[in-house]
Amino acid sequence: MTRTISVGLGERAYEVRVGHGLIDRAGEAMAPLLKRRRTAVVSDETVWALHGARLTAALERAGIAVSPVIVAPGEETKSFAGLAEVTDRLLALELDRGDLITAFGGGVVGDLAGFAAAIYKRGIGFVQIPTTLLAQVDSSVGGKTAIDTPRGKNLVGAFHQPRLVLADLDVLATLPDREMRAGYAEVVKYGLLGDFGFFAWLEAHAAAVLSRDPQALAEAVARSIAMKAEIVAEDETEQGRRALLNLGHTFGHALEAETGYGGSLLHGEAVAAGQALAFRFSAAQGFCTTQDAQRAAAAIAGAGLPVRLDEVPGHPFGAERLVRHMAQDKKAQDGKLTFILARGLGDAFVANDVDAGAITTFLRQEGAT
Ligand code: NAD
Ligand code: GLY
C-alpha cells in the first residue's frame, strides 16, 4: 500500500509517497513532471552501486534517459567543491530549466543536489528519492537545501521545494543498522516535539521499526512525514513553528562541530543526545518534569542512541567551547541562544532568550569541563 502525503504549498504543493516498490514505478511517477524524457540523477557511489541499476531500469522503462552524476559518499561532499563538481556536470549535460534533477541518496545527496537545483540556471525542478531513514522522514521534505563551509554546517543554502518525493521503504534494507538508528532519532523527534500519541506508539514499536518490519516502518515514516508536511505548509521559511523541528539540534550541532563532522558522530546520533539534553535542561529550568525527561531519554537510549555526553565520542567536552558553537549557530540572535525546550512529552516550544551562563552551568552538571 502506498501512502500519499501532500505538502500544501499552493502552486508549489507536492506529494510525498511512502511505500514499497516505489523505485520500480519511478518512471511513471516522474514522466508527467518532465518536459522531455531525461533526468540527471545525482547519487553517491554507495547508493548508486546498490540501487542505481534498479532506478535506471525503472526510468528507462518509461522512456526517460538517465544521466548519472555520482559523487563521493560522506558529509565532505556537501561543500563548495562538491557543489562546483555537480553544477559543472549538469552544465555539461546541457540540462535546461524544463528538465528535472533527481536526488537519489541520503541527506547529503538531497541537500547538495537540491541546492544545485536551486541555483542551476537560476532554478530547476528536482525530485527527491531518499534512501536513508533520516532523509525519508526529514531532509527530503520541506525544501531546505544547503552545503557546509569550514565555518559550520548548512550555512550556505536555499529554500527550494522538490516537485515530488518517493520514499521507497525497500531501499532501507541495505542501510547499515547504525544509520537506521541515526534516522530513528529524527523519528522520535516528531513524537517528542508535538505528538504524545506517536511518542507512546514508538515506545511500543521501536524494535519493529528498527528491524524494518514493513508495517511498523511504513507507519513510522508516514506519521513523521505527515507532521513535517503540516509544519512546513504552515511555516515554510521557519519564521515560527518550523523551528520546533530543531529539537535537539542546538546541542547536537555543537557536539558535531566539536567532533569534526566525521564518522565518529553521525548527525542523528548528535540529535539524539541533543534531545535528551534539551529535555533535561527543560526539567532543570522547571518547564517539564524529571519523569518526562527520563522517559524521553529512555526511548532514545532504547533505540541504541546516545543520551549522555559521556556516550558521545570526544567526551569530555569543554562547556564554553560548546556554548561558543551554539552562539555561532544561525539560529542565535542578538547574543541570546535559541533552544527548543519542552513543557512535556509531545509539547515543545521555542525559547529565544536562553542565557548562555545557564547552559554552561547545565553542561558542566552533565559532565562537560
Ligand atoms: P548520508 O547522506 O551521508 O547517508 C549516510 C550513509 O549511508 C552514506 O554513506 C550513504 O552512502 C549511505 N547510504 C545511503 N542510503 C543507503 C542505502 N539505502 N543503503 C546503504 N547505504 C546507504 O547521511 P544522512 O544521515 O542521510 O543525511 C545527513 C545529512 O542530512 C546531513 O548533512 C544533514 O545536515 C542533512 N539534513 C538535512 C535536513 C534538511 O531539512 N534539509 C534535515 C536533516 C538532516
Ligand atoms: N530539519 C529541519 C527542517 O527541515 O526545518
Side-chain angles (χ1 to χ4, degrees), residues 61 78 85 102-103 127 160 185 187 209 213 242 244 301 321 358:
R61 270 199 305 279
K78 232 182 83 172
E85 183 189 333
T102 304
V127 170
H160 187 53
V187 173
V209 174
D213 169 83
R242 184 165 180 170
L244 296 178
R321 285 180 64 93

Side-chain angles (χ1 to χ4, degrees), residues 8-306:
L9 288 168
E11 286 180 350
R12 290 172 299 110
Y14 56 94
E15 285 185 356
V16 184
R17 295 184 200 157
V18 181
H20 295 273
L22 296 181
I23 288 178
D24 303 308
R25 301 194 295 279
E28 50 201 85
M30 284 175 58
L33 304 175
L34 294 169
K35 288 218 171 80
R36 22 175 207 174
R37 297 230 161 179
R38 61 178 296 198
T39 183
V41 179
V42 181
S43 189
D44 75 29
E45 286 155 6
T46 307
V47 173
W48 194 247
L50 288 166
H51 302 289
R54 194 173 145 219
L55 179 62
T56 303
L59 294 174
E60 287 180 352
R61 270 199 305 279
I64 300 169
V66 173
S67 302
V69 175
I70 310 304
V71 297
E75 189 71 32
E76 308 75 54
T77 297
K78 232 182 83 172
S79 61
F80 273 112
L83 182 69
E85 183 189 333
V86 168
T87 47
D88 186 57
R89 293 284 308 282
L90 298 174
L91 288 164
L93 291 168
E94 298 182 358
L95 259 81
D96 69 33
R97 286 169 64 185
D99 295 321
L100 285 187
I101 295 171
T102 304
F104 184 46
V108 163
V109 162
D111 281 12
L112 176 65
F115 188 37
I119 60 173
Y120 180 84
K121 296 191 177 172
R122 300 196 178 85
I124 181 174
F126 78 118
V127 170
Q128 289 265 22
I129 307 184
T131 65
T132 63
L133 180 59
L134 181 142
Q136 294 193 349
V137 299
D138 192 356
S139 60
S140 66
V141 179
K144 279 189 182 176
T145 74
I147 56 169
D148 307 330
T149 88
R151 291 182 189 278
K153 272 193 63 165
N154 298 326
L155 291 180
V156 176
F159 285 99
H160 187 53
Q161 299 291 342
R163 302 275 304 278
L164 174 70
V165 182
L166 299 175
D168 187 338
L169 303 168
D170 291 344
V171 87
L172 301 180
T174 58
L175 192 66
D177 289 344
R178 186 178 171 206
E179 297 287 354
M180 196 71 193
R181 289 194 294 274
Y184 187 82
E186 303 281 7
V187 173
V188 83
K189 179 185 81 177
Y190 292 106
L192 287 172
L193 77 87
D195 186 346
F196 174 74
F198 185 39
F199 173 77
W201 183 89
L202 287 169
E203 286 184 309
H205 294 87
V209 174
L210 288 167
S211 66
R212 299 147 170 95
D213 169 83
Q215 280 174 359
L217 193 55
E219 178 72 7
V221 172
R223 279 181 85 160
S224 300
I225 292 172
M227 182 182 283
K228 178 146 190 187
E230 194 244 310
I231 291 173
V232 167
E234 183 186 313
D235 179 23
E236 181 182 9
T237 56
E238 201 172 307
Q239 304 305 308
R241 189 169 167 229
R242 184 165 180 170
L244 296 178
L245 296 172
N246 297 322
L247 176 63
H249 283 60
T250 308
F251 287 110
H253 282 162
L255 293 172
E256 281 185 281
E258 276 298 273
T259 46
Y261 307 109
S264 64
L265 182 67
L266 301 179
H267 174 72
E269 293 167 342
V271 167
Q275 291 181 79
L277 288 164
F279 263 83
R280 282 201 292 280
F281 183 69
S282 299
Q285 298 290 302
F287 292 119
C288 76
T289 64
T290 305
Q291 288 88 332
D292 279 349
Q294 285 169 345
R295 195 166 157 189
I300 296 165
L305 288 159

